[in-house]
Amino acid sequence: MVEAAGQTHAEDSFAALFEESLKQEEVNEGDILQGTVIDVGKDFVIVDIGYKSEGQIPIDEFRAADGTVQVGRGDIVDVLLESRENDAGMCVLSKEKADRLKVWDEISAACERDELIEGTITQRVKGGLSVTIRGGVKAFLPGSQVDLRPVRNLDAFIGEEFKFKVIKFNKKRGNIVLSRRVLLEKERAALKESTLERLREGQIVEGIVKNLTEYGAFIDLGGIDGLLHITDMSWGRVNHPSELFQVGDHVRVKVLKFNADTERVSLGLKQISEDPWSRAHEKYIPGTVVRGKVVSLKDYGAFIELEEGIEGLVHISEMSWTRRVKHPSKVVAVGDVVEAVVLDVDVKNNRISLGMKQLEPNPYEQLTEKYPAGTVVKGRVRNIADFGVFVEIEEGIDGLVHISDMSWTQRVKHPSELFQKGEEVEAVLLNIDTADGDKPKISLGIKQLVPDPWDRIPYDYPPGKIVDAKVLKVLDFGAFVEIEKGIEGLVHVSEISDEHVSDPRAVLSPDQDVKVQILSVDAAERKIGLSIKNANRAAEMAEAQGYSSPSAGTATLGDVMRAKLGGALGAVQAASDDASNESNSDGE
């Protein structure tokens, strides 16, 4: 029995040794094996992989990020057999390489099963980002695959942990390319389908501000974007969407329009609240004094925000009674808080007209009392026009001196002949016309400062009187002559000479001194009829009667005219005689 038992034990031992020998022959370099830690030294960890000799692994392969050694005796670890035997007769093992190969195998399997891989973006590299996935394996995330839209600041993703899809895998080259965009597109497509099913016009929905432009904001409603136009953001004035929103803000908006075919959605924010214009006619009654902030300046006026969504316009003409406001910025500035009077409310067109000058007394209302007709005023010429000059009689109050009211006698072609801008003048107030609006028209006259000479002309120049005159202008029908400064009369062509005068220019010329007889005076029409031939007749008659004793050789104007006319007639007679002689000669 004893012999039999010893024989059985020997057979078992031999079988175990034989099995172990076969196992050792199956171990190949590059294989990943399981081993047991039998010792942890200062520099190496000794691992038994069931081979004829143990293997050693550098202890650094077991250190954690904080430097502590994460291994102990009896631990089971996966290792890579790099070499069956080194110079010391031990196996060369590697835990890191085993882990890396296991990860690659896991990644390969996940790629084949179309599974997702988690990873952390660690740094920016050329063309994209570097992602650390299982076992510390580095993968590449192209910039175009980071998000649904191009990302300007890739550094913002560093340190973030996401799920990725492997779009390229090459174990031999150690190349892994990931995509986050593919996942987002898939999620967005599912979300979009759900959103389209429940979206209705008039519905209040929640979304996230995705992008801002000058004309509005794009709101992500869940897989589909809607446009919130700048005009639908507030009942008030919005210069840029960034005044109200930032990318990433959560907002509640109303669906204004929705087209399922084109997948276009128009949104509104102000439509959630009441339109302030619906009660404007009750709150802003004409004549009411209101207070608001200047929000905009235009060439024609200033817009005042009375409340959110309601603005009124103070036209430039309603800013001051007397000041000449060239631009609203001369009176107010954006941001100023001002008072104004409501002039008119047009709810249909959402317009309110305001006035600032109405807060002060109207200086024109006392003008008629202060300046009755006939009052002599002084002022400076503020402006010169073709039709007259504007004279400032008080600050901001002008009167017009029409060109016809500048002189009784002088023909004024342009006011600049008599006046210069800035010149101080006196004038008579003729009339104040308050019929045209709240700014009356003031008429002034300068010639009215002196008596009208035509009041005395009929008395100073009775018909038949002979006076000295100077020729001013000669025309086809006669000549205008001046009998005193500013007083002119007409010598008709028939009143120039007893002889027939075809062309007045043949006997008269400008600046020529003549004597004329007054034929008629029309003070109403300011016309005087004159005669040179009557004056000549009177002079000749006086001479004949001995009232005049001209020295020898002195000729009267009548003599000169007769000489000129005689010479002209003689030339005509000579030409006629020559023609007659030629005719007689031809007959012979």
Side-chain angles (χ1 to χ4, degrees):
M1 291 291 292
V2 174
E3 290 180 1
Q7 185 178 356
T8 301
H9 178 72
E11 288 176 355
D12 291 340
S13 297
F14 178 78
L17 290 173
F18 179 72
E19 185 178 345
E20 184 177 348
S21 175
L22 290 175
K23 183 179 178 181
Q24 290 177 357
E25 288 180 0
E26 292 175 358
V27 175
N28 298 313
E29 293 179 356
D31 288 347
I32 294 177
L33 307 171
Q34 273 194 347
T36 303
V37 177
I38 59 176
D39 186 40
V40 178
K42 182 179 179 181
D43 298 319
F44 295 95
V45 174
I46 307 302
V47 178
D48 179 12
I49 59 173
Y51 193 56
K52 62 180 181 180
S53 58
E54 292 81 9
Q56 62 179 13
I57 302 172
I59 198 168
D60 289 339
E61 293 191 19
F62 292 92
R63 292 188 187 278
D66 58 359
T68 58
V69 177
Q70 301 289 327
V71 69
R73 289 185 181 181
D75 289 350
I76 305 297
V77 295
D78 292 326
V79 295
L80 173 70
L81 178 61
E82 293 188 275
S83 176
R84 292 183 181 182
E85 190 174 351
N86 61 8
D87 295 339
M90 300 187 71
C91 297
V92 179
L93 306 174
S94 173
K95 178 181 177 297
E96 285 185 350
K97 291 181 180 180
D99 291 342
R100 192 174 298 118
L101 285 175
K102 282 175 62 180
V103 169
W104 280 96
D105 290 340
E106 291 174 2
I107 294 172
S108 177
C111 188
E112 290 176 0
R113 293 191 299 268
D114 199 27
E115 294 179 354
L116 304 181
I117 293 177
E118 292 186 356
T120 303
I121 297 174
T122 53
Q123 63 179 349
R124 183 172 180 173
V125 295
K126 184 178 180 180
L129 297 167
S130 178
V131 181
T132 300
I133 55 178
R134 302 174 185 175
V137 175
K138 302 292 184 182
F140 176 62
L141 176 63
S144 61
Q145 299 297 319
V146 175
D147 208 336
L148 291 171
R149 295 188 177 186
V151 179
R152 294 183 179 179
N153 184 20
L154 291 175
D155 292 332
F157 288 85
I158 295 176
E160 296 290 334
E161 186 174 336
F162 299 105
K163 288 184 177 181
F164 304 94
K165 180 176 177 61
V166 179
I167 58 176
K168 186 182 286 187
F169 177 79
N170 191 321
K171 182 176 180 180
K172 185 176 181 181
R173 294 186 177 182
N175 184 22
I176 302 175
V177 181
L178 306 177
S179 173
R180 178 171 173 262
R181 178 178 176 177
V182 173
L183 303 181
L184 296 177
E185 287 177 344
K186 188 175 181 180
E187 292 174 0
R188 187 173 179 82
L191 196 57
K192 178 179 179 180
E193 185 177 352
S194 173
T195 302
L196 289 174
E197 288 179 357
R198 59 181 173 79
L199 210 57
R200 298 289 183 274
E201 289 186 2
Q203 183 180 10
I204 306 296
V205 295
E206 291 189 0
I208 301 173
V209 178
K210 189 174 183 180
N211 190 28
L212 297 178
T213 66
E214 291 183 354
Y215 55 85
F218 286 93
I219 312 298
D220 186 354
L221 303 177
I224 185 172
D225 293 344
L227 173 61
L228 174 59
H229 197 270
I230 191 170
T231 57
D232 290 312
M233 291 182 177
S234 171
W235 293 111
R237 181 184 296 269
V238 181
N239 296 315
H240 194 276
S242 58
E243 296 176 4
L244 300 179
F245 306 106
Q246 292 182 348
V247 173
D249 286 351
H250 289 258
V251 294
R252 290 179 72 250
V253 288
K254 186 174 184 178
V255 180
L256 303 180
K257 292 181 181 179
F258 170 53
N259 189 322
D261 296 330
T262 60
E263 298 180 358
R264 288 189 175 183
V265 185
S266 296
L267 305 173
L269 178 62
K270 71 181 185 182
Q271 287 79 3
I272 295 177
S273 59
E274 180 187 4
D275 182 357
W277 283 98
S278 60
R279 51 184 176 81
H281 66 286
E282 301 173 356
K283 188 173 182 180
Y284 301 103
I285 302 170
T288 307
V289 177
V290 293
R291 188 179 180 88
K293 184 172 70 173
V294 180
V295 292
S296 178
L297 297 180
K298 302 294 182 183
D299 292 340
Y300 52 84
F303 286 94
I304 313 297
E305 185 181 52
L306 304 179
E307 63 176 276
E308 184 179 355
I310 293 187
E311 295 178 7
L313 171 65
V314 179
H315 193 269
I316 195 169
S317 62
E318 302 294 343
M319 291 187 169
S320 174
W321 289 111
T322 58
R323 286 179 59 186
R324 296 174 188 88
V325 183
K326 294 183 177 179
H327 193 273
S329 59
K330 302 295 181 181
V331 180
V332 295
V334 173
D336 287 352
V337 177
V338 297
E339 287 188 339
V341 175
V342 177
L343 303 181
D344 183 56
V345 179
D346 183 356
V347 177
K348 184 177 180 181
N349 295 307
N350 292 355
R351 292 177 180 176
I352 295 180
S353 297
L354 303 174
M356 295 174 64
K357 69 182 183 182
Q358 287 77 7
L359 294 169
E360 302 173 355
N362 183 354
Y364 295 109
E365 292 178 352
Q366 291 82 31
L367 277 182
T368 53
E369 298 178 4
K370 189 174 181 180
Y371 299 106
T375 305
V376 177
V377 296
K378 284 186 178 181
R380 294 189 179 276
V381 176
R382 190 183 62 81
N383 194 22
I384 299 177
D386 293 340
F387 52 85
V389 296
F390 289 93
V391 179
E392 187 176 51
I393 60 175
E394 286 187 11
E395 184 180 358
I397 299 179
D398 291 347
L400 171 65
V401 180
H402 194 269
I403 194 169
S404 62
D405 288 312
M406 292 182 178
S407 173
W408 291 113
T409 57
Q410 187 175 349
R411 283 195 181 91
V412 184
K413 294 182 178 179
H414 194 275
S416 59
E417 297 174 6
L418 301 179
F419 304 102
Q420 292 182 351
K421 196 172 182 179
E423 180 182 352
E424 188 172 1
V425 296
E426 280 190 344
V428 176
L429 194 141
L430 304 178
N431 183 45
I432 298 178
D433 183 3
T434 58
D436 187 15
D438 52 21
K439 188 172 183 179
K441 294 179 179 179
I442 303 173
S443 299
L444 304 175
I446 291 178
K447 72 181 184 182
Q448 288 80 1
L449 290 168
V450 296
D452 184 355
W454 281 92
D455 291 341
R456 62 174 176 80
I457 291 298
Y459 303 100
D460 291 350
Y461 300 97
K465 185 176 181 178
I466 296 174
V467 295
D468 292 324
K470 179 175 285 189
V471 177
L472 298 177
K473 187 184 295 184
V474 184
L475 303 170
D476 292 339
F477 56 85
F480 285 98
V481 299
E482 186 179 54
I483 60 175
E484 70 173 64
K485 186 172 179 61
I487 304 299
E488 300 174 8
L490 172 64
V491 180
H492 192 265
V493 64
S494 62
E495 297 294 333
I496 294 176
S497 174
D498 288 326
E499 307 292 339
H500 177 71
V501 178
S502 299
D503 183 5
R505 297 178 186 85
V507 293
L508 294 175
S509 60
D511 293 329
Q512 182 180 345
D513 292 324
V514 296
K515 283 188 178 293
V516 294
Q517 185 186 63
I518 308 297
L519 295 180
S520 63
V521 176
D522 186 346
E525 296 293 330
R526 296 179 184 263
K527 292 180 180 180
I528 300 176
L530 305 171
S531 175
I532 293 176
K533 70 180 184 181
N534 286 359
N536 289 337
R537 286 176 186 172
E540 291 172 356
M541 187 179 296
E543 183 179 354
Q545 293 177 356
Y547 293 109
S548 176
S549 301
S551 59
T554 302
T556 65
L557 178 62
D559 296 333
V560 174
M561 289 184 177
R562 279 191 290 272
K564 288 185 177 181
L565 290 171
L569 291 171
V572 172
Q573 185 63 44
S576 176
D577 292 344
D578 290 342
S580 178
N581 291 335
E582 289 178 4
S583 175
N584 293 332
S585 177
D586 291 340
E588 292 176 356

